[in-house]
Amino acid sequence: MRRCRAGSRTEGARLDTDMPEFRVERGDRECDKGCNPMTEQGAAEGTDPTRGASYAAAGVDIDAGERAVELFAPHAKRAPRPEGLGGLGGFSGLFKLKGYREPVLSAASDGVGTKLAVAQAMDVHDTVGRDLVAMCVDDLVVCGAEPLFLQDYIAVGKVVPETVAQIVKGIADGCVDAGCALLGGETAEHPGLMHETHYDLSATAVGVVEADAILSPDLVRPGDVVIAMGSSGLHSNGYSLARKVLLEWGHMDLHGHVEEFGRPLGEDLLEPTRIYARDCLALTAETDVRTFAHVTGGGLAENLARVIPAGLVAELDRRSWAPAPVFTMIAQRGRVEQAEMERTFNMGVGMVAVVAPEDTDRAQAVLTARHVDNWVLGSVRTDSERGNDGHVELVGEHPRV
């Protein structure tokens, strides 16, 4: 059930009993043009005090919120699961667990970060929803959990129905790719706190895994093989540095064609984050996977180290892959040191699987059949020097392209 909570709509009013739970909340307009948000003058700026204040005059457009719901409703309907019980309540999304012996729920929350600044500058809003889903569900799958549902939160300075609809379209696309339901969400209008053209996104995804099937660092053994899954680009990390180097320092045009990319700069920067959830679940179904590592903020080494147990080291060979041109351009134009690049960006590796050595060929065949670029990145060995914590070593140099 989708619910639009706005001043003129009765609480719990039903819009469609087959739809997930959604709201459009209105934040008060408290501050514009540098006014003090704690004063009545700031709260009522733009109104005629002799005629009385109104929510609309304060900058909150209830009708726009209603229109946004109408526009994004068809998109939200595209990402259901049979366990969703959307018609039974207006204040929350309901989901029925069934068929599990000893289910363990897994939850992950994330956002898209300053990649949104590129989307807003390009006026392209139907891709960042995929990024939002990817950042959440691919954290879930690290422990072997199947994504079940996602709920989003969209904060906007001003509700522009067409923009909100495009954002939700991208979220629904991502949920379809991940196999999870878009169970509900909220769009909150914050005039005065955010510029009218700005928005921010966050979401929480919930998954489930059988208790005896949880993947963890405890399963990793010496001799295990580390398999890389190629990224689609920057994904959703490092955009503050990328924007600083390419846009602020380099004065590059987001709409300008870049020969190295074969397309405009903005299009390359907005390439959606790859969603690996179903690929990882296929691997766990057919091979002996010890664990995964989702490569996000902190880069390859720091994220993989989180799943390497004490007494072991994962040795990764840079010679096994060549990062995409966007990474090279940022490093060269910004004179960014290799260590800084590797702790900021994924460098071309979006997800890592640690598998039993005898299953290496099978794991690569599964990924190849699913059209996932993959390669052997390295292996796990005993660490005789650092026994207190697991760590990762990157050796060699990337091949020149």
Side-chain angles (χ1 to χ4, degrees):
M1 172 176 170
R2 181 182 299 271
R3 189 168 63 84
C4 178
R5 187 180 174 198
S8 62
R9 179 173 291 280
T10 303
E11 289 286 359
R14 298 196 173 197
L15 299 184
D16 189 329
T17 56
D18 293 329
M19 297 176 61
E21 179 272 332
F22 281 84
R23 317 178 175 197
V24 177
E25 290 282 2
R26 305 292 188 263
D28 290 336
R29 173 177 287 277
E30 294 183 332
C31 179
D32 262 335
K33 302 178 182 177
C35 65
N36 183 348
M38 301 306 294
T39 66
E40 292 184 8
Q41 179 181 359
E45 185 175 358
T47 66
D48 181 354
T50 64
R51 301 179 58 186
S54 70
Y55 219 10
V60 177
D61 190 340
I62 293 174
D63 292 336
E66 301 291 342
R67 175 61 177 157
V69 172
E70 294 174 2
L71 291 179
F72 67 60
H75 300 303
K77 280 185 172 181
R78 291 189 295 106
R81 278 182 63 125
E83 303 97 324
L85 305 177
L88 298 182
F91 288 87
S92 63
L94 303 178
F95 195 94
K96 182 178 181 180
L97 281 179
K98 55 184 178 181
Y100 296 93
R101 293 176 286 102
E102 190 177 356
V104 176
L105 295 179
S106 174
S109 300
D110 214 330
V112 180
T114 60
K115 187 174 187 176
L116 296 177
V118 179
Q120 291 160 18
M122 294 283 291
D123 195 24
V124 175
H125 312 289
D126 62 346
T127 61
V128 290
R130 286 181 179 269
D131 295 302
L132 182 64
V133 176
M135 296 302 289
C136 295
V137 299
D138 285 342
D139 276 354
L140 290 181
V141 80
V142 166
C143 69
E146 175 192 2
L148 296 177
F149 61 83
L150 178 138
Q151 290 201 301
D152 64 72
Y153 179 84
I154 305 172
V156 299
K158 179 181 178 62
V159 171
V160 179
E162 294 75 16
T163 298
V164 175
Q166 286 299 295
I167 294 170
V168 176
K169 174 185 180 299
I171 296 172
D173 289 342
C175 287
V176 170
D177 287 351
C180 68
L182 179 52
L183 195 61
E186 176 154 314
T187 300
E189 189 172 33
H190 295 317
L193 294 179
M194 303 175 70
H195 189 277
E196 288 187 350
T197 62
H198 291 177
Y199 57 82
D200 197 10
L201 308 178
S202 66
T204 296
V206 173
V208 64
V209 59
E210 292 284 5
D212 59 4
I214 295 174
L215 306 179
S216 75
D218 295 338
L219 302 176
V220 180
R221 298 288 183 267
D224 285 346
V225 175
V226 181
I227 297 176
M229 300 181 217
S231 70
S232 57
L234 298 184
H235 280 185
S236 299
N237 294 102
Y239 276 80
S240 294
L241 179 55
R243 289 165 49 240
K244 171 72 72 173
V245 170
L246 301 180
L247 304 182
E248 184 177 333
W249 291 358
H251 304 289
M252 295 181 70
D253 181 3
L254 285 171
H255 299 278
H257 183 85
V258 179
E259 184 177 352
E260 294 92 329
F261 303 164
R263 56 182 173 174
L265 172 63
E267 187 176 326
D268 195 81
L269 294 180
L270 286 182
E271 182 66 35
T273 305
R274 172 142 195 164
I275 297 174
Y276 301 95
R278 283 182 163 175
D279 306 315
C280 291
L281 293 174
L283 272 186
T284 60
E286 299 193 42
T287 68
D288 186 1
V289 176
R290 313 298 201 194
T291 190
F292 296 104
H294 186 200
V295 184
T296 55
L300 175 58
E302 288 189 16
N303 282 285
L304 181 56
R306 295 163 65 180
V307 296
I308 300 299
L312 299 180
V313 56
E315 186 175 287
L316 312 180
D317 192 347
R318 295 188 187 93
R319 292 168 294 189
S320 64
W321 88 100
V326 65
F327 299 108
T328 304
M329 180 174 288
I330 293 170
Q332 292 178 346
R333 297 200 176 198
R335 297 194 297 273
V336 185
E337 295 182 357
Q338 183 179 64
E340 184 68 11
M341 290 292 296
E342 291 179 341
R343 70 192 301 262
T344 304
F345 300 105
N346 65 61
M347 299 303 292
V349 180
M351 180 72 77
V352 168
V354 181
V355 305
E358 62 271 18
D359 277 356
T360 302
D361 291 343
R362 178 59 182 162
Q364 288 197 264
V366 169
L367 292 173
T368 300
R370 298 184 63 83
H371 308 288
V372 179
D373 187 24
N374 68 92
W375 62 94
V376 173
L377 188 58
S379 60
V380 178
R381 59 175 171 80
T382 302
D383 183 10
S384 58
E385 298 179 1
R386 296 175 54 180
N388 293 329
D389 57 348
H391 69 287
V392 174
E393 293 180 358
L394 283 159
V395 299
E397 297 298 331
H398 295 296
R400 295 180 180 273
V401 179

